[in-house]
Amino acid sequence: MLQPRLIYRLGKSIRQARYASTTAVRIVEVGPRDGLQNEKQIVPEDVKVSLINRLGRAGLKDIEAGSFVSPKWVPQMAGTAEVLKQIHHSKEIHYPVLVPNMKGLDSLLSLLQSSTSAEPLTDEIAVFTATTDSFARANTNCTVAESIERLAPVVERAISAGLRVRGYVSMVIVCPFEGRVAPAKVREVTQKLLEMGCYEVSLGDTVGMGTPKDWEDMLNDVTGSVNVSTLATHDTFGMAVANVMQAVSMGVRTVDSSVAGLGGCPYSPGATGNVATEDVVYALHGSGYETGVDLTALAATGFWISEKIGRENVSRVGRALRAKQVREQSRQKE
Ligand SMILES: CC(C)(COP(=O)([O-])OP(=O)([O-])OC[C@H]1O[C@@H](n2cnc3c(N)ncnc32)[C@H](O)[C@@H]1OP(=O)([O-])[O-])[C@@H](O)C(=O)NCCC(=O)NCCSC(=O)C[C@@](C)(O)CC(=O)[O-]
């Protein structure tokens, strides 16, 4: 049974999601976590730190800094505590970190308690679950129901320690193991995360197969009862920018994306990176929305990190801007 306070909060959120009239869109940059977690090589901590600092200078206000997950499962995220200690903290920026269980929260809270930094190292965690048991098992070694049970006390304790908590639901359109996912399942899991105390829920098309019509149908169902203020859409089939614009046209005002299109999910076969932040920012700015992000500085950061880790920059906008820059430079030399 929902508590009255919660019903009010959900009711307010539905209105926000359905009738959002503001043109401001918040970008949650997930490259340093969702991007780098999937690289074959372990990216050195100083590179992760520089990446986060550069993204902050490009105007991003929410930058996922890493994970407190098991290093046996995702070795690429093992140095997150050091990264949090070394980044240049800005009061205006949130640096959420992924936490899968109480052990992860214990590690984070002891780090926060022992920190002598003037600024808190982070004020936010993100917890994650999925719509299907097959993916939940592959990603976290438990079913969806068990993950909800595992996360509830984590969320409660994080909130009482003064942290805000964001929720993720993976596989909101198609699951690589179980096929098409019913919107009702997305709604059910999203609602559970909100009832637990998550302030917002990110809906992830983790294999990136969804089309704008799939997103419209899913959001129409899910926004019937819960807040969907954010979404993460992977770009495997090249639909991600169109899907973002579909969701924004329906009132969604927070979008997760990854600079240079870095990454993917290590436990989702075939998933490529999240949609590139450069592509989302270009589409939004060109459609009358504001993000506060400096596209030129962001595109330069996309190239910087791609070169550092020897990976192709998959941002179409980043590549087009660079080609334009090269053309202009050679014209000046003539
Ligand atoms: C959840 C577990 C831990 C269960 O994994 P498990 O093996 O069932 O856990 P366990 O409790 O049996 O522990 C196994 C070992 O890991 C250690 N351990 C256990 N927990 C921690 C911890 N927090 N930090 C450090 N160490 C930990 C624990 O101490 C033990 O060490 P041992 O005794 O063998 O030496 C594991 O499955 C895990 O870490 N999974 C995370 C996988 C992951 O990070 N996936 C990527 C993120 S999700 C994603 O990308 C999707 C998203 C969010 O972007 C949205 C979208 O796009 O769809």
Side-chain angles (χ1 to χ4, degrees):
M1 184 64 189
L2 295 178
Q3 297 304 309
R5 188 182 61 80
L6 190 60
I7 292 170
Y8 168 73
R9 198 167 70 80
L10 294 178
K12 198 171 156 205
S13 301
I14 298 161
R15 283 196 295 278
Q16 280 169 351
R18 285 223 169 137
Y19 307 115
S21 57
T22 168
T23 51
V25 176
R26 169 174 160 252
I27 305 283
V28 178
E29 170 57 52
V30 298
R33 193 278 305 168
D34 202 3
L36 300 186
Q37 77 181 8
N38 213 35
E39 288 304 315
K40 283 191 189 68
Q41 82 230 44
I42 307 281
V43 176
E45 277 149 25
D46 64 315
V47 173
K48 292 179 179 170
V49 169
S50 293
L51 173 61
I52 294 169
N53 290 342
R54 280 166 189 258
L55 290 166
R57 288 199 294 272
L60 286 145
K61 299 281 180 264
D62 296 83
I63 307 172
E64 222 174 34
S67 304
F68 283 78
V69 298
S70 168
K72 289 187 175 156
W73 283 66
V74 185
Q76 292 86 341
M77 290 289 108
T80 297
E82 276 312 305
V83 171
L84 280 181
K85 282 196 239 169
Q86 289 173 32
I87 50 183
H88 172 73
H89 287 267
S90 158
K91 273 199 184 83
E92 293 170 356
I93 304 178
H94 298 285
Y95 303 96
V97 286
L98 227 59
V99 168
N101 56 12
M102 202 56 94
K103 188 174 168 74
L105 184 62
D106 280 341
S107 308
L108 176 66
L109 292 179
S110 14
L111 174 72
L112 298 184
Q113 273 149 20
S114 64
S115 165
T116 51
S117 157
E119 296 297 330
L121 299 184
T122 185
D123 61 355
E124 179 168 339
I125 65 163
V127 295
F128 53 105
T129 182
T131 57
T132 66
D133 287 340
S134 308
F135 178 71
R137 278 203 193 90
N139 197 32
T140 51
N141 203 21
C142 63
T143 63
V144 174
E146 285 162 352
S147 80
I148 302 273
E149 213 173 295
R150 181 193 276 174
L151 292 175
V154 174
V155 173
E156 193 182 343
R157 185 154 161 241
I159 291 172
S160 32
L163 297 169
R164 62 179 197 165
V165 185
R166 173 164 216 262
Y168 277 106
V169 180
S170 288
M171 307 301 167
V172 300
I173 308 274
V174 172
C175 168
F177 308 105
E178 296 189 22
R180 200 151 268 276
V181 172
K185 187 67 197 177
V186 183
R187 176 167 21 101
E188 182 195 317
V189 178
T190 304
Q191 192 145 10
K192 286 204 169 114
L193 286 172
L194 289 168
E195 285 168 20
M196 249 182 229
C198 292
Y199 76 91
E200 72 178 9
V201 173
S202 171
L203 303 179
D205 177 10
T206 318
V207 280
M209 282 180 78
T211 63
K213 178 76 171 78
D214 292 326
W215 274 94
E216 183 185 2
D217 293 347
M218 187 269 291
L219 288 176
N220 267 332
D221 188 310
V222 174
T223 55
S225 60
V226 297
N227 174 19
V228 283
S229 62
T230 185
L231 66 101
T233 178
H234 291 246
D235 202 21
T236 320
F237 281 71
M239 294 288 113
V241 172
N243 293 342
V244 165
M245 296 314 289
Q246 172 65 43
V248 168
S249 78
M250 293 173 76
V252 168
R253 287 295 180 268
T254 304
V255 176
D256 294 9
S257 58
S258 176
V259 66
L262 292 177
C265 177
Y267 294 101
S268 168
T272 59
N274 269 38
V275 60
T277 308
E278 298 90 317
D279 300 5
V280 170
V281 167
Y282 179 83
L284 287 169
H285 289 183
S287 308
Y289 296 95
E290 303 103 45
T291 64
V293 176
D294 173 346
L295 183 55
T296 309
L298 178 67
T301 301
F303 273 100
W304 175 84
I305 187 63
S306 302
E307 277 154 23
K308 277 276 170 207
I309 62 178
R311 182 191 197 275
E312 189 192 1
N313 183 343
V314 297
S315 164
R316 300 289 295 261
V317 167
R319 294 205 311 235
L321 289 176
R322 172 153 285 193
K324 186 167 169 253
Q325 209 176 28
V326 170
R327 279 197 307 276
E328 281 168 2
Q329 279 164 357
S330 63
R331 223 175 287 137
Q332 276 161 14
K333 278 190 204 143
E334 282 165 13

